[in-house]
């Protein structure tokens, strides 16, 4: 099939599709109302994951360790509670009273600077419930109620505190973004009534986006928070393009016809424009760190829903508001900017070389960007109550950093030796394991006691202790010990206490009340320790470090811990899990993800641009411009020595490449269209006048949305994304406005020489009756015509459409045209009569 035949068929199909959408608008209104009502409920079905570690690859040490700990151990709910402005005696009394609560299984408070400092007491509380049990929150509320008369600060991971805080903050941000969007649209609009059309289109798409996230099951807190704001910033220009196209067509056509023609032209144009954004987002799907794929899928879905709203809902809204738009036309508030084009023409030989030189410098700056992989060194402009509590506790008692060391169970002796060796290291403050935890009277939990030692410890009758040890040996199938003599048989303290409690509970052994109270107290503490530190196949030890959560020294010691543990256990059976390990894993994935994201985003956008401009030179120039803006953007943290969360770079660089390049496409496309029709100077001036409203509308929304996110959230990951996105968009706007024009003027010949076209045979189009012609045509129209025509022909057309389209019109369109012709004839007849009368008057004078 020839290219022209394909274009003819595509045009015909687009007209038919557009006519169906416009004529069935009430059906689409009904469908959208149903979907919006459904989404209002389904948005509550979305599960949100707040832990970044949940998105680590399955092969990472952190992910394997977390899965193993969930399988092997019970993790009780914990909290750090600081009480300020109290004496030590009062702090001691509070500790005793808290410890008596049934909901608290363990409380650590000692007369050391680690627990009492500067008239502040710090209590490490362990609740009697699994950390996922809601009773932990009830117990924490009970503690808060008891301490309500004091100044308290609570640090805990219990509950969904971060999610609630983020949701509250994002609600405020969305309101501010909405206000800004309305203000920008009012300023950049040409008619007041187009603003509600654009807002209804976007709000519908946003509600559908939030309501359909449940299909993914669980999404990240980042995607749940920023998708709606980024959806607005990334896709609002689709609605603006369609609206502007409608206004152009409506200048010569009635509302219905203008909407149909505008939609038929906008569908391929907007779809093509969206491909660059989607291409940039697709790059995030190749990240090992799962949050990139999670966010990419959510944003791509959001953009597709925005496209759907523009194509299916907005045509009906234009029909609904069309007459009101005609009545509310106002003057254009966006000024012409001929000075930008003139400046570009004068500096075309100066600016590009300077830009290239600057890029070299910024490239090396951004390579030294201080990336971090955790929150410990990051600051946010806004602090929530939980961050304030953490900061107060850290200020008074220092930062606590620990990791869990997981090794195969079965040998208390190996565990004891490993912990002893680690405790000698200056990088370790102290460690906690069954082998070095004191139980009773100086004995450790795993110390082996004979029957006599055990009877003395519990003040138990020796004969009873011997019987207990004999029963334990039989139960343990350790008959050799019975033969050699029970007096020499020793058992770890924790094991014999657990066995004695089970025998008492089963009714085989009876103890006096005082002894029973001692046994129950010992059992409760030992059982809690065992459930947290010993599983069926693995043991867990807590190693408290003197190192910060991340850094080269910390990461190096994590590797050294593996080397030390390999002295006692086989390779592959040792796991270290904690914030430091998680950040170490993120550091390892970043280098790979960084390369993949950059390469894939560039290739995806390059492919779209290649077929958009049919030139090999143009895509390269545009990629250099936007990639340069990315390098400049991420040079700022290096220059300011401000730590940057690694995820902010990966996500923002993809969005900036995919979204901001649209600004460059608008300018480049217009310039290439005008440069052969007028001088290069006039072409660039006209281009910048044309592109400025589009860029300032879309760009200001994206920049403001990013800045607001960066300034109004306490979540470091989200704040970093906002700050980088806002700054990067402003940089991109500046570059495409004041540097790209000079590059186009200087590289115009290179673009032309690298252009390519595919020669295809053309076919003659035939049509009779009323025909709308819009474009360059060559053929017979009741005579031979060659030229550019924008009009309507009644009769037979047998011609080749070299550029543009030819669309047959219906009888209804013909009747409407006749009415317009009649009015036009009356108007021109009146004008002619006035002219003749004026000429006679002049002659008389």
């Amino acid at each position: 099939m020839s290219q022209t035949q394909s274009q003819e068929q595509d045009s015909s199909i687009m007209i038919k599709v557009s006519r169906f959408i416009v004529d069935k608008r009430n059906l689409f209104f009904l469908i959208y109302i149903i979907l919006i009502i459904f989404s209002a409920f389904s948005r509550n079905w979305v599960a949100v994951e707040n832990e970044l570690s949940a998105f680590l690859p399955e092969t990472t040490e952190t992910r394997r360790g977390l899965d193993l700990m969930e399988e092997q151990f019970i993790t009780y709910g914990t909290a750090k509670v600081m009480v300020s402005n109290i004496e030590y005696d009062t702090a001691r009394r509070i500790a005793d009273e808290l410890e008596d609560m049934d909901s608290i299984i363990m409380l650590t408070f000692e007369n050391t600077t680690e627990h009492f400092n500067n008239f502040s007491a710090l209590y490490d509380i362990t609740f009697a419930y699994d950390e996922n049990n809601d009773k932990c929150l009830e117990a924490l509320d009970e503690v808060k109620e008891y301490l309500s008369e004091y100044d308290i600060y609570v640090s805990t991971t219990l509950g969904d505190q971060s999610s609630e805080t983020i949701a509250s903050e994002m609600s405020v941000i969305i309101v501010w973004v909405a206000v800004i969007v309305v203000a920008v649209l009012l300023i950049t609009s040409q008619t007041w009534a187009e603003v509600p059309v654009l807002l209804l289109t976007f709000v519908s798409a946003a509600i559908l986006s939030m309501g359909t996230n449940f299909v993914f099951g669980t999404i990240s807190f980042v995607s749940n928070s920023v998708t709606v704001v980024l959806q607005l910033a990334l896709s609002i220009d689709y609605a603006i393009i369609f609206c502007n196209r409608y206004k152009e067509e409506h200048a010569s056509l009635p509302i219905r016809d203008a909407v149909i023609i505008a939609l038929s032209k906008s569908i391929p144009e907007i779809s093509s424009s969206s491909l660059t954004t989607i291409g940039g987002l697709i790059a995030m799907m190749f990240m090992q760190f799962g949050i990139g794929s999670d966010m990419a899928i959510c944003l791509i879905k959001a953009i597709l829903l925005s496209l759907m709203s523009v194509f299916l809902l907005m045509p009906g809204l234009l029909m609904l508001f069309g007459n009101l738009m005609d009545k509310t036309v106002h003057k254009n508030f966006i000024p012409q900017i001929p000075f930008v084009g003139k400046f570009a023409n004068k500096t075309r030989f100066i600016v590009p070389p300077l830009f290239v030189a600057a890029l070299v410098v910024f490239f090396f700056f951004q390579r030294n960007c201080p990336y971090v992989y955790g929150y410990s060194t990051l600051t946010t402009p806004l602090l929530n109550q939980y961050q304030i509590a953490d900061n107060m506790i850290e200020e008074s008692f220092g930062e606590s950093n620990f990791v869990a060391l997981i090794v195969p169970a079965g040998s208390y002796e190996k565990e004891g030796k490993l912990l002893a060796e680690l405790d000698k290291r200056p990088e370790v403050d102290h460690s906690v394991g069954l082998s070095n935890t004191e139980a009773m009277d100086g004995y450790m939990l795993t110390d082996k006691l004979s029957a006599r030692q055990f009877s003395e410890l519990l003040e138990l009758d020796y004969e009873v202790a011997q019987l207990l040890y004999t029963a334990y040996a039989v139960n343990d199938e350790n008959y050799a010990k019975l033969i050699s003599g029970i007096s020499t048989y020793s058992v770890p303290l924790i094991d014999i206490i657990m066995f004695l409690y089970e025998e008492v509970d089963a009714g085989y052994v009876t103890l006096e009340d005082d002894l029973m109270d001692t046994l129950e107290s010992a059992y409760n503490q030992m059982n809690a320790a065992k459930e947290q530190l010993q599983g069926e196949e693995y043991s867990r030890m807590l190693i408290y470090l003197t190192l910060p959560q991340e850094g080269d020294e910390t990461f190096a010691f994590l590797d050294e811990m593996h080397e030390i543990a390999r002295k006692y256990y086989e390779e592959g059976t040792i796991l270290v899990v904690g914030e430091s390990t998680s950040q170490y894993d993120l550091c390892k994935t970043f280098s790979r993800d960084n390369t993949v994201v950059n390469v894939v985003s560039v290739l995806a956008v390059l492919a779209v641009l290649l077929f958009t401009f049919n030139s090999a030179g143009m895509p390269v120039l545009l990629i250099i411009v936007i990639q340069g803006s990315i390098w400049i953007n991420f040079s700022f943290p290096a220059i300011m020595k401000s730590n940057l969360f690694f995820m902010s770079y990966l996500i923002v660089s993809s969005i900036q490449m995919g979204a901001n390049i649209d600004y460059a496409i608008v300018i480049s496309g217009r310039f290439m269209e005008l440069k052969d029709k007028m001088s290069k100077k006039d072409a660039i001036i006209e281009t910048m006048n044309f592109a400025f409203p589009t860029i300032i509308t879309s760009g200001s929304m994206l920049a403001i949305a990013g800045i607001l996110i960066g300034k109004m959230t306490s979540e470091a990951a989200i704040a970093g994304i906002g700050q980088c996105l806002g700054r990067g968009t402003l940089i991109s706007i500046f570059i495409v406005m004041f540097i790209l024009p000079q590059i186009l003027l200087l590289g115009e010949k290179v673009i032309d020489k690298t252009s390519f076209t595919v020669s295809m045979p053309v076919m003659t189009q035939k049509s009779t009756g009323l025909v709308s012609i819009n474009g360059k045509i060559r053929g017979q129209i009741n005579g031979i015509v060659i030229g550019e025509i924008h009009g309507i022909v009644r009769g037979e057309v047998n011609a080749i459409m070299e550029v543009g389209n030819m669309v047959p019109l219906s009888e209804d369109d013909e009747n409407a045209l006749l009415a317009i012709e009649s009015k036009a004839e009356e108007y021109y007849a009146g004008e002619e009569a006035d002219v003749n009368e004026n000429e006679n008057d002049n002659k008389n004078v």
Side-chain angles (χ1 to χ4, degrees), residues 538-608:
Y538 287 87
S539 291
R540 175 167 62 175
M541 294 164 273
L542 303 181
I543 314 300
Y544 289 81
L545 305 177
T546 59
L547 301 170
Q549 286 190 0
E550 67 175 293
D552 293 339
E553 187 180 1
T554 303
F555 296 158
F557 184 68
L558 292 178
D559 291 333
E560 200 166 347
M561 282 181 63
H562 279 273
E563 294 178 7
I564 295 173
R566 279 197 290 269
K567 297 178 183 179
Y568 307 94
Y569 301 95
E570 294 181 5
E571 177 69 27
T573 63
I574 305 162
L575 291 171
V576 180
V577 186
E579 283 294 331
S580 294
T581 313
S582 173
Q583 292 164 29
Y584 193 18
D585 286 335
L586 291 173
C587 178
K588 293 174 182 176
T589 64
F590 174 66
S591 57
R592 182 261 185 194
D593 285 347
N594 185 20
T595 302
V596 170
V597 167
N598 284 331
V599 171
V600 174
S601 61
V602 168
L603 291 178
V605 173
L606 191 64
V608 175

Side-chain angles (χ1 to χ4, degrees), residues 32 35 201 205 208 302-315:
Y32 262 83
L35 291 176
T201 301
L208 293 186
I303 289 174
L304 293 177
L305 288 172
S306 295
L307 288 174
M308 188 176 77
S309 293
V310 170
F311 296 153
L312 301 180
L313 178 63
M314 191 171 170

